[in-house]
Amino acid sequence: RLALIFFLVLLDCAALLAAPWLIGRCIDAMGGGEGGADPSVLGVALAALVAAWVIDTLIVVVQGWLMAGASQSIVRSLRKGLFGKLQRLPVSLFDRWSHGDLMSRLANDVDNISGTIAQSTTQLLSTVLGIAGSLALMLALSPLLTLAALVTVPLVFLLTRSISRKTRVLFREQQAVLGALNGHVEETMSGIDVVKAFGREAQATGDFLELNGKLRDVGTKAQIWSGFIMPLMNVINNIGFAAVAAVGGILAVRGLVTVGIIASFLSYSRQFTRPLNELANIWNSLQTAVAGAERVFELMDQAEEPADRPEAVAIGAIGSAAAGRLPSLRGDVELDSVSFGYREDTMVIRDVSFSAPAGSVTALVGPTGAGKTTIVNLIARFYDVSSGTVRIDGRDVRDYARDGFRRSFGIVLQDSYLFSGTIRENILYGDPGAGEAAMRKAAAMANAVHFIERMPRGFDTELQEGGWPLSEGQRQLVAIARAVLADPAILILDEATSSVDTRTELHIQEAMLSLMEGRTSFIIAHRLSTIRDADRILVLDGGRIVESGSHAELMASGGLYRRMYESQL
């Protein structure tokens, strides 16, 4: 499509370049030249001139239609690539970058690129061809007049260069501030309950107004500076036009050129300077697109999750294990001298070693910040260890293909997240291929059926982003049902019952006993009464395992676990 557009641009330039020459022929045919009037030549020249203008009009229409489709296809591919990139980025990047800023890159910055592609690509092609063609024909008509026309070119170059230096910085700053503004809006909307609970509406509004004002200021400066180009270019063009007219008049008086040639040359000089104007204007709009593109490709250039090793073992193959594939994991987990830090200079866990046999239940307890969630994140390979090894079924977790490996986990987090859609769709997220009976069974095991069936449309009740109108406890139950349906080999429950009342918690614990049967399970809990039956309890403090054993053993030892347990009672 772009090749066809380029071909049409060539035809359009040819038609536009022919028009001034035909105008000169018409003037000379009417008696402006030395040979007097020539009606036959005039008729042919006029017909050709009309044809050139009609061709130009048709080409512009077709070219615009093609370019609109081509630009949207390019932007669609860019958005697809950028969103796909987001799926391949490590979790650590989303911890560091504002979600609103990421969305701004995907939406606003890509839109800026789209607008520039649609409006400026054909303009840029026709501008370059128009300048080259006009210059060649001007030289052919009169080298002396061409020198007069070229007097203004250095002025155009200096003007564009000086203004673009300023606008480039301003447009880049404008996109950065827009990203910050979107980040603030996303953060405020996500935490609107907290904003209202602490009466911070005025502060949130004030922060928004500050960012909005900064965006207005930098946007105004960018538009003012970019607006200088066209008026100043018009002044330069008029100087050039006057110079050509003056030199042309002198040459005509001396008989060196005809009036028709001067008329043609004035048109060509307009066609030469007009693209220079357009080029300056395009260059200015390109600054916005480049600022957006820099932000888009900054994200595209971020390091992805490490690629699977060439010898990585795939999990979840259909049929028997073959060709280096495993139908599923058994669930033997071992951490060997593992240390990890979200930053290289700060270790969150240090020299942690333990093993969890397949089918066992391991509980992780300890003060906030002790490293409990970090350990399960390393087991699920959301992060790779800084040192040491995490093994599952005797293999380093990095020796498994990541996709099938993560499908072997069922994870219920403290902050359950539900997507917009029906309750049915949210539960089936655990296994999209599961049938109705399996989905309902999973909901029943999570003790969620009783409230789902009381909803207006049952399992087909529509949820908004985040799970509204369900309560926190109900959202957690749906999330648990989703994990049940996934039928994982390894189950991770990170404060899974923190958002439910005591009565519901008892029902969930009963469901958990059935769910954990035959699966390796890791439970993070602050309510120590919920993990008394765990096969092994690991007590963490300061990133290290300070105690390990069953509930009875740890109570008998009289250490940190006993003090924590008794303080809760």
Side-chain angles (χ1 to χ4, degrees), residues 7-48:
F7 175 71
L8 290 175
V9 169
L10 284 174
L11 288 180
D12 189 38
C13 285
L16 289 174
L17 289 172
W21 182 81
L22 290 170
I23 289 172
R25 295 291 293 165
C26 288
I27 291 173
D28 286 341
M30 286 188 292
E34 297 177 357
D38 189 340
S40 61
V41 173
L42 178 61
V44 172
L46 280 174

Side-chain angles (χ1 to χ4, degrees), residues 67 70-72 74-75 112-122 289:
M67 195 63 229
S71 66
Q72 290 307 310
I74 291 169
V75 171
N112 283 333
I113 298 171
S114 168
T116 300
I117 291 173
Q119 297 171 16
S120 302
T121 305
T122 54

Side-chain angles (χ1 to χ4, degrees), residues 463-514:
L463 303 180
Q464 301 298 319
E465 179 186 355
W468 187 90
L470 299 182
S471 68
E472 283 291 336
Q474 289 170 336
R475 295 174 199 178
Q476 195 74 300
L477 292 172
V478 173
I480 291 170
R482 181 168 60 195
V484 171
L485 188 63
D487 192 22
I490 301 173
L491 186 65
I492 294 175
L493 306 172
D494 187 351
E495 287 292 332
T497 61
S498 62
S499 300
V500 299
D501 57 75
T502 306
R503 182 180 178 184
T504 304
E505 181 181 18
L506 292 173
H507 290 298
I508 291 177
Q509 285 178 329
E510 293 174 3
M512 290 304 171
L513 290 175
S514 174

Side-chain angles (χ1 to χ4, degrees), residues 278-338:
E278 292 175 351
L279 193 60
N281 202 33
I282 291 169
W283 183 252
N284 191 44
S285 67
L286 279 174
Q287 302 308 307
T288 308
V290 167
E294 285 176 348
R295 285 167 48 79
V296 167
F297 286 104
E298 180 188 8
L299 186 56
M300 294 287 275
D301 290 339
Q302 293 298 311
E304 298 180 4
E305 288 185 310
D308 292 330
R309 294 174 177 177
E311 67 279 8
V313 178
I315 302 172
I318 297 173
S320 61
R325 291 176 175 266
L326 294 173
S328 63
L329 292 176
R330 293 192 311 277
D332 287 310
V333 177
E334 179 187 359
L335 272 69
D336 183 7
S337 302
V338 168

Side-chain angles (χ1 to χ4, degrees), residues 391-453:
R391 298 187 186 91
I392 295 182
D393 293 351
R395 283 192 175 93
D396 190 321
V397 293
R398 291 167 289 192
D399 290 333
Y400 291 106
R402 187 179 283 104
D403 183 59
F405 175 75
R406 286 187 179 156
R407 291 180 189 273
S408 301
F409 285 80
I411 301 176
V412 181
L413 302 175
Q414 180 176 1
D415 298 321
S416 58
Y417 187 87
L418 300 183
F419 298 92
S420 55
T422 64
I423 295 176
R424 181 191 311 277
E425 290 168 343
N426 272 280
I427 296 176
L428 287 173
Y429 201 84
D431 181 6
E436 180 75 10
M439 185 270 298
R440 288 181 175 273
K441 182 180 178 181
M445 289 183 65
N447 201 33
V449 170
H450 66 285
F451 76 82
I452 293 176
E453 291 183 341

